[in-house]
């Protein structure tokens, strides 16, 4: 059923293809400057907001940063937000207990604010609505440089994402193997070049009145496969990998109040990302690339599920890789 739904919805999205080349303009050259911390605002003893200038996007980006009160030179976990990049206030800090969870962990947790519908990649063309997106450059070159320079670092880094940012977290580890020692996807789509996944991703981006083909080009463009973790799974060998998704049926992990109606949207979306994640898991099995795989029967696309996945990933995969 979900396949038919995606096929119908994708008709509208792929109709944009005819105008994609005329709407999109040439990519802007990055300004000649270095990434640097321009401001730090303390929120609590363990939480600060760190503003970093991005030369590639020529703007200042805020990042929520969690560090234990004892400070020190620590490894870093880059924890990505969902579809709207926490621009709407819907992110890890406001919807989970990550601040409490990491309060006593020896790690610097960095959560960028921004990048709605970006899939945290470098877009081929500026978007009339979203602007000049160079999130891969920011997350793999600029932000680590600024964070390490300001706080210090052991040189160990991990990256993790949920939903929209789950697949991209794995892709960023593929694109920058010199930066990330661990990567995790929580209910994401690590097989974006699959036709149904491509249609779903394009529909999602277009739903924000953005042109999805400004990202990796028209369907069939090699960039879709170049950023597909399932296609490039062999390049994750040597990286500590965690991947998880659920079949979509609500369960105890979702902590839905008794008598409350299950989140229909969350059920459907989780079922879709489960299919996409299973394609990546199949690739792991074919190649024999080691990974921690947590495919679940119960759990909808909810914050309690994402938080449970994060806690499991930290214990089994990320923390050992950053030690």
């Amino acid at each position: 059923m979900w396949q038919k739904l995606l096929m119908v919805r994708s008709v509208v999205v792929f109709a944009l293809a005819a105008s994609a080349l005329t709407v999109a303009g040439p990519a802007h050259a990055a300004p000649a400057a270095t990434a640097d911390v321009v401001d730090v605002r303390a929120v609590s003893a363990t939480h600060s907001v760190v503003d970093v200038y991005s030369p590639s996007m020529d703007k200042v980006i805020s990042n929520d940063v969690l560090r234990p009160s004892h400070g020190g030179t620590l490894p870093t976990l880059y924890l990505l937000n969902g579809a709207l990049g926490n621009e709407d206030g819907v992110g890890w800090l406001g919807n989970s207990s990550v601040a409490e969870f990491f309060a006593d962990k020896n790690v610097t947790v960095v959560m960028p604010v921004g990048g709605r519908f970006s899939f945290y990649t470098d877009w081929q063309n500026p978007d009339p609505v979203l602007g000049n997106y160079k999130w891969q450059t920011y997350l793999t070159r600029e932000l680590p440089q600024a964070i390490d320079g300001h706080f210090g670092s052991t040189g160990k880094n991990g990256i993790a994402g949920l939903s929209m940012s789950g697949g991209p977290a794995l892709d960023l580890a593929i694109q920058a193997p010199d930066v990330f020692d661990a990567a995790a996807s929580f209910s994401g789509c690590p097989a974006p070049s699959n036709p149904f996944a491509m249609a779903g991703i394009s529909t999602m981006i277009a739903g924000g009145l953005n042109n999805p083909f400004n990202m990796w080009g028209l369907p069939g463009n090699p960039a879709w496969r170049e950023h597909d973790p399932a296609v490039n799974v062999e390049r994750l060998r040597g990286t500590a990998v965690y991947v998880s998704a659920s079949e979509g049926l609500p369960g105890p992990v979702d902590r839905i109040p008794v008598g409350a109606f299950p989140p229909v949207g969350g059920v459907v979306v989780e079922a879709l990302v489960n299919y996409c994640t299973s394609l990546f898991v199949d690739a792991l099995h074919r190649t024999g690339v080691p990974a921690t795989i947590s495919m679940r029967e119960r759990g909808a696309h909810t914050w309690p599920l994402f938080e449970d996945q994060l806690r499991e990933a930290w214990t089994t995969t990320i923390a050992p890789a950053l030690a």
Side-chain angles (χ1 to χ4, degrees):
M1 179 160 204
W2 59 267
Q3 293 172 317
K4 292 181 180 179
L5 177 62
L6 271 182
M7 291 178 67
V8 171
R9 293 182 69 189
S10 65
V11 171
V12 176
V13 176
F14 282 88
L16 290 171
S19 62
L21 298 180
T22 57
V23 172
H28 296 317
T34 58
D36 200 7
V37 172
V38 297
D39 190 28
V40 178
R41 301 181 297 283
V43 179
S44 71
T46 59
H47 174 207
S48 59
V49 177
V50 179
D51 292 337
V52 174
Y53 173 69
S54 166
S56 64
M57 291 188 275
D58 192 21
K59 65 180 180 180
V60 173
I61 298 173
S62 294
N63 306 268
D64 287 302
V65 176
L66 303 175
R67 281 172 56 84
S69 57
H70 59 70
T73 301
L74 307 171
T76 306
L77 172 62
Y78 293 90
L79 190 56
L80 306 180
N81 286 296
L84 297 181
N86 199 27
E87 293 180 15
D88 58 346
V90 180
W92 283 107
L93 277 181
N95 293 271
S96 73
S97 60
V98 293
E100 293 79 7
F101 177 71
F102 284 110
D104 62 348
K105 306 295 189 296
N106 289 317
V107 64
T108 298
V109 181
V110 181
M111 295 166 282
V113 178
R116 69 185 189 276
F117 302 123
S118 67
F119 283 81
Y120 291 105
T121 189
D122 283 0
W123 283 37
Q124 293 185 347
N125 296 290
D127 186 84
V129 177
L130 300 174
N132 183 35
Y133 266 1
K134 297 296 178 183
W135 283 94
Q136 177 181 312
T137 297
Y138 178 69
L139 290 168
T140 63
R141 302 302 166 194
E142 298 173 348
L143 183 58
Q145 170 190 315
I147 293 295
D148 291 357
H150 187 78
F151 294 107
S153 171
T154 64
K156 294 281 190 176
N157 299 293
I159 188 164
L162 77 147
S163 193
M164 179 200 80
S165 63
L170 299 177
D171 176 51
L172 289 165
I174 290 171
Q175 303 300 327
D178 59 317
V179 177
F180 300 111
D181 302 280
S185 172
F186 312 135
S187 297
C189 183
S193 68
N194 172 272
F196 292 113
M198 190 183 304
I201 290 170
S202 298
T203 300
M204 175 183 172
I205 296 174
L209 302 181
N210 315 298
N211 189 330
F213 308 117
N214 283 328
M215 185 170 72
W216 292 326
L218 299 174
N221 188 301
W224 285 86
R225 290 180 60 82
E226 291 168 4
H227 291 280
D228 187 328
V231 172
N232 300 287
V233 65
E234 185 63 42
R235 293 169 62 186
L236 285 169
R237 191 179 296 277
T239 301
V241 173
Y242 172 95
V243 61
S244 179
S246 165
E247 293 180 7
L249 294 176
V253 69
D254 299 304
R255 301 199 294 271
I256 299 172
V258 176
F261 193 74
V264 177
V267 171
V268 174
V269 172
E270 190 65 26
L272 293 176
V273 298
N274 180 271
Y275 167 74
C276 192
T277 298
S278 70
L279 298 176
F280 176 72
V281 171
D282 289 344
L284 287 171
H285 290 323
R286 283 197 308 271
T287 59
V289 172
T292 301
I293 301 169
S294 182
M295 300 299 283
R296 307 172 178 211
E297 292 183 0
R298 292 284 178 169
H301 207 67
T302 61
W303 280 100
L305 173 63
F306 306 148
E307 182 175 349
D308 193 72
Q309 292 167 321
L310 171 61
R311 289 170 179 262
E312 182 178 63
W314 173 258
T315 301
T316 64
T317 309
I318 300 173
L322 301 188

